[in-house]
Amino acid sequence: MIRLAVFGKPVKQSLSPRIHGLFAGQCGLEVDYRAIEADPEDFPRLVAELAEKGGRGCNITAPLKRAAWQLATHCSENATRAEAANTLIFVGAGDWHADNTDGAGLVRDLRSSAGCQLEGARVCLFGAGGAAAGVLGALLQEQPTAVIVANRTQERAEELRKRHADLGPVVTCTPQGLDTLEPFDLVINATSLGHAGGASAIMPQWLRPGGMCYDLNYGKAAEPLQQWCLQQAIPYSDGLGMLVGQAALSFRLWTGSEPDTAPVLEQIRREENLR
Ligand code: ATR
């Protein structure tokens, strides 16, 4: 039995136990994957308990990703750049390796589900919080012409730029500043605006004709942008494929097995009624 878990708060609604259950079935593995709610002060103890019980690792979701990165004894380049981990791998007693598969999960989904070519593309990353930090490195590795990080608070965008500038061309601006720039092939919503049920803050003129919007959110938080794109006839994808993509990469880190994401994504969409 492979013991795994996802830590976060809230975490009850997490789709990860279901996704990893489907991966396990595909790969013929027995997996016990739990969702464990944790406050930041309890998180290190709860991770240690899982490891002591023979756990192989865990996923980490908001608001614990930065804490997970700080807990690790060794960090992948992706986790170091993001200063956050969504995956811990228990390699020995007290020896926990951190990785961040969010960005690679996004790139994988952009390529496979959304048919989006990143090489040579002009990309706007809208937002500069934890979600944006998790994906910027992976986006730059695909060699877009430029990634413009647009954020209400300039200092956060600047901080992200400095941490990633050696990977490729990153420029920062305010959301208003985007109006004066050449339009984009891809605008990625990495803000938390949808969680408050707010309308989209993305402007149609930011996109070139045929350009697409990708929302890192899914479910309720993705509805405002999805509706807006539908009204504007802008190609759109929610972040459910990224969720399944990052999960598959974590699963491979723990088990060495490579699940097939397409049927799992299809099944989760059906089960959650997310079209
Ligand atoms: P997450 O981990 O989901 O990224 P976060 O780190 O709190 O959460 O980041 C939230 C992002 O949404 C930030 O880019 C934030 O902009 P600021 O850095 O300026 O706060 C953005 N955001 C949240 N509410 C916003 C709003 N009303 N208008 C514009 N941007 C907003």
Side-chain angles (χ1 to χ4, degrees):
M1 176 69 75
I2 300 171
R3 274 183 210 283
L4 299 164
V6 56
F7 292 94
K9 188 172 182 178
V11 81
K12 232 176 50 210
Q13 304 302 322
S14 171
L15 297 174
S16 294
R18 178 71 183 134
I19 293 170
H20 286 280
L22 291 169
F23 289 165
Q26 260 187 11
C27 299
L29 296 171
E30 266 197 81
V31 166
D32 176 359
Y33 187 111
R34 309 257 169 111
I36 303 175
E37 188 154 302
D39 285 310
E41 56 274 24
D42 299 328
F43 174 57
R45 176 180 56 79
L46 292 169
V47 174
E49 274 176 23
L50 178 67
E52 279 155 21
K53 281 187 201 144
R56 201 167 288 186
C58 60
N59 279 133
I60 306 93
T61 188
L64 302 168
K65 289 184 180 183
R66 194 175 165 83
W69 165 69
Q70 287 168 329
L71 263 188
T73 45
H74 170 91
C75 291
S76 72
E77 183 180 342
N78 287 337
T80 304
R81 296 264 182 195
E83 296 189 350
N86 75 338
T87 309
L88 285 174
I89 308 120
F90 306 149
V91 294
D95 192 9
W96 303 341
H97 289 196
D99 209 329
N100 195 320
T101 63
D102 284 336
L106 166 65
V107 167
R108 194 186 250 230
D109 188 48
L110 278 168
R111 200 178 292 135
S112 60
S113 312
C116 180
Q117 167 75 267
L118 282 167
E119 192 182 340
R122 273 178 62 76
V123 179
C124 170
L125 184 60
F126 183 37
V135 302
L136 181 55
L139 288 172
L140 287 166
Q141 280 154 17
E142 296 302 302
Q143 301 185 319
T145 317
V147 177
I148 282 73
V149 181
N151 200 48
R152 181 177 61 174
T153 311
Q154 268 299 276
E155 303 82 72
R156 284 184 102 183
E158 243 331 275
E159 218 176 278
L160 264 194
R161 188 194 65 75
K162 282 189 195 138
R163 279 213 311 271
H164 292 82
D166 60 313
L167 288 178
V170 192
V171 176
T172 63
C173 70
T174 60
Q176 297 80 352
L178 288 172
D179 291 340
T180 62
L181 298 181
E182 209 182 301
F184 295 93
D185 300 294
L186 172 67
V187 174
I188 298 170
N189 178 38
T191 72
S192 55
L193 267 164
H195 288 282
S200 164
I202 292 173
M203 295 296 172
Q205 65 269 24
W206 296 354
L207 283 148
R208 69 156 180 76
M212 83 169 288
C213 263
Y214 190 102
D215 198 339
L216 300 188
N217 298 296
Y218 56 88
K220 266 243 149 317
E223 280 174 11
L225 183 56
Q226 182 168 27
Q227 283 306 319
W228 181 84
C229 286
L230 204 65
Q231 285 157 11
Q232 310 282 333
I234 290 171
Y236 165 87
S237 173
D238 70 3
L240 193 67
M242 170 180 162
L243 178 77
V244 175
Q246 62 78 31
L249 293 163
S250 298
F251 192 85
R252 189 175 67 188
L253 287 169
W254 297 317
T255 67
S257 296
E258 179 92 47
D260 182 4
T261 52
V264 173
L265 176 56
E266 187 52 41
Q267 186 158 347
I268 298 284
R269 270 208 193 284
R270 219 176 24 247
E271 289 174 4
E272 296 298 312
N273 208 12
L274 294 172
R275 283 290 150 198

